[in-house]
Amino acid sequence: MMAPHQNLAAVVHGPNDLRLEQRSIPEPAFNEVLLEVDCCGICGTDIHFLKEGGFGSQMLIKPIVLGHESSGIVRKVGSKVTHLKVGDRVAIEPAAGCRTCDLCKYADCCYKLPDHVSMEEGAMLEPLSVAVYATRIADIRLGSRVIIFGAGPIGLMCLIAAKAMGATRTVILDLARAKHRLDLAKKLGVTGTIAITKDDKEGDLVKRIHEILGGPADRVLECTGSEPGIRISIRATRNAGQICLVGLGNDDVKVPMVDAISREINILTAMRFNHDFPAALEIVASGYVNIKPLASHHFDLKNVHEAFRVASEGEGNKVLIHLVPRDTNNNKKFVN
C-alpha cells in the first residue's frame, strides 16, 4: 500500500489535458471500504472525456479521476461493513446511486472475486456487464441470429455475451483497418466477419450479412454509434426484430425511420448496466465464458499517456493499466 498522501491518479482537466497527480487517501465512512486499485481498463467513455471533455449531457464540470473499469484490494472497512474484510480481492461496480429509487436500487458496489479469478478479469467485468445488459434488454435467446457492429472491446464483449445467451449465428462488422479485432472475433467463435471498406454500399453489406446469418437478423447490437451502422442495422433486421444501440458515436444521425416503423422494428438504447455485475462475475468465475483474450495491452500508471494513445487509436483491444506490479494479487500469473 502506498504511504499516506502518496496516491498517484490520472486526472483529466479538459480536452487533451491528462495529468498524473498526487491525491490524498481518504478514510472510509461507516458504510464504505477503502480500496487499493490493482488493475484498470481504459473505456471508450474515458477517451471521450480526454478527447472532447465528455459526451452528450455528461460533460466535465471539474477535473475527474479516470478509470472506472477497476479491480482492487480492500485495505480498510467502515464500521458497519460486514460482507467484506481487509485483504479481499474485489471487482468494482462504478456507480453511486441513492439506492432507494426505482432507477438506482442495487447491491453494494464491491463484488468479492473467487481466488481463481484474476484482477485483470475483475477489471474487465465492467464492460462485460455492459454487454450482459445489452443482450438482456435486446432479448437475445436460444437460436437468435445476431448482428454486432464494431469489434472493439464492447463489441467483442457483446459477442461473448450473445453467445452465452444462446445466439447461434452471429456476424460482426468493423472497418477493414481493424483486421486484428476481426481476427480476434473469429477466435471467439463468431460465425462470420465483414471488413468494411469505403467503397461498400449499404445494400451490398445487407446482402453479405444475410448470407452469413442465413437470413435477416433477429437482434442487433450496434456498438459504434455511427450513422452507417444504425442505418444498416435497420435494413438488415427482420420484421419485428430488435436493435439495441450500445455505442456512443455521432450526436445526430439520419436513419430510414419509415422502414423501421412500417416493419415494427424495436429500437432500444443501453447506457451502462442495471443489476448485471453478479451475472457477469458468475459466467466468468464458472468458466462459462472466457474474457481473457480481450486483454491486449498492459501498462504501468506512469505510462498512462501511451496507454490512452494505444486505446484511442484502436491498436489493440482492451488496454489495461496496472497500479501495482502485475500479478501481485493474482494467485497465479495472468495469461491470455
Side-chain angles (χ1 to χ4, degrees), residues 9-331:
V11 184
V12 63
H13 286 256
N16 299 308
D17 186 3
L18 180 64
R19 310 176 195 177
L20 285 174
E21 299 176 352
Q22 297 290 346
R23 290 289 181 102
S24 61
I25 299 176
E27 288 294 319
F30 73 95
N31 61 344
E32 296 177 339
V33 294
L34 177 68
L35 303 177
E36 180 182 20
V37 176
D38 180 299
C39 185
C40 178
I42 293 179
C43 177
T45 56
D46 292 324
I47 295 172
H48 279 293
F49 275 113
L50 178 58
K51 296 295 184 182
E52 295 104 35
F55 57 92
S57 62
Q58 301 191 35
M59 301 300 292
L60 280 176
I61 57 175
K62 63 180 181 179
I64 61 169
V65 177
L66 294 180
H68 58 273
E69 297 180 1
S70 299
S71 60
I73 307 296
V74 176
R75 294 307 185 194
K76 291 184 180 181
V77 297
S79 60
K80 299 297 184 181
V81 175
T82 59
H83 70 293
L84 294 170
K85 65 182 185 302
V86 172
D88 280 348
R89 304 159 66 250
V90 298
I92 306 164
E93 181 177 358
C98 70
R99 301 188 184 181
T100 57
C101 75
D102 289 339
L103 293 178
C104 68
K105 285 190 292 189
Y106 56 91
D108 287 346
C109 297
C110 293
Y111 295 88
K112 187 174 179 180
L113 296 176
D115 291 344
H116 66 281
V117 175
S118 68
M119 304 305 290
E120 288 84 352
E121 290 168 290
M124 290 191 285
L125 287 183
E126 197 274 353
L128 179 59
S129 295
V130 172
V132 169
Y133 179 52
T135 55
R136 182 166 61 84
I137 65 172
D139 193 28
I140 292 175
R141 58 181 71 178
L142 188 66
S144 291
R145 295 183 291 193
V146 179
I147 303 169
I148 300 169
F149 275 90
I154 293 297
L156 293 181
M157 287 291 188
C158 281
L159 171 62
I160 290 171
K163 287 171 61 65
M165 291 287 192
T168 49
R169 296 188 68 84
T170 54
V171 60
I172 195 163
L173 300 89
D174 209 323
L175 300 177
R177 65 171 180 265
K179 181 179 181 300
H180 58 290
R181 291 181 166 179
L182 294 172
D183 288 343
L184 180 53
K186 294 175 184 177
K187 294 179 181 178
L188 294 172
V190 73
T191 306
T193 64
I194 297 176
I196 303 172
T197 70
K198 60 181 178 63
D199 297 322
D200 286 325
K201 301 293 189 294
E202 282 186 11
D204 294 334
L205 289 172
V206 171
K207 182 179 178 181
R208 291 167 65 185
I209 289 169
H210 289 177
E211 288 172 351
I212 292 172
L213 294 182
D218 301 302
R219 305 289 186 262
V220 182
L221 301 170
E222 210 299 319
C223 302
T224 70
S226 68
E227 182 173 307
I230 299 173
R231 291 179 59 85
I232 295 169
S233 294
I234 293 173
R235 295 188 60 186
T237 304
R238 68 168 174 81
N239 292 2
Q242 297 202 146
I243 298 170
C244 183
L245 304 181
V246 187
L248 299 172
N250 305 101
D251 287 339
D252 299 292
V253 296
K254 182 179 180 181
V255 298
M257 191 55 68
V258 171
D259 181 31
I261 294 171
S262 64
R263 297 195 295 115
E264 292 191 350
I265 292 173
N266 191 12
I267 301 175
L268 308 165
T269 61
M271 183 62 182
R272 302 182 73 208
F273 38 77
N274 185 10
H275 307 284
D276 297 291
F277 249 73
L281 175 55
E282 175 60 26
I283 60 176
V284 169
S286 67
Y288 192 65
V289 304
N290 181 17
I291 60 175
K292 290 181 179 180
L294 273 69
S296 62
H297 290 75
H298 300 265
F299 292 92
D300 293 333
L301 181 57
K302 65 182 180 181
N303 297 318
V304 66
H305 290 90
E306 176 63 10
F308 267 91
R309 185 196 66 78
V310 171
S312 61
E313 294 182 8
E315 292 183 6
N317 206 279
K318 178 50 66 179
V319 177
L320 297 175
I321 298 174
H322 297 268
L323 287 83
V324 300
R326 288 183 64 181
D327 297 312
T328 296
N329 298 303
N330 288 336
N331 290 313

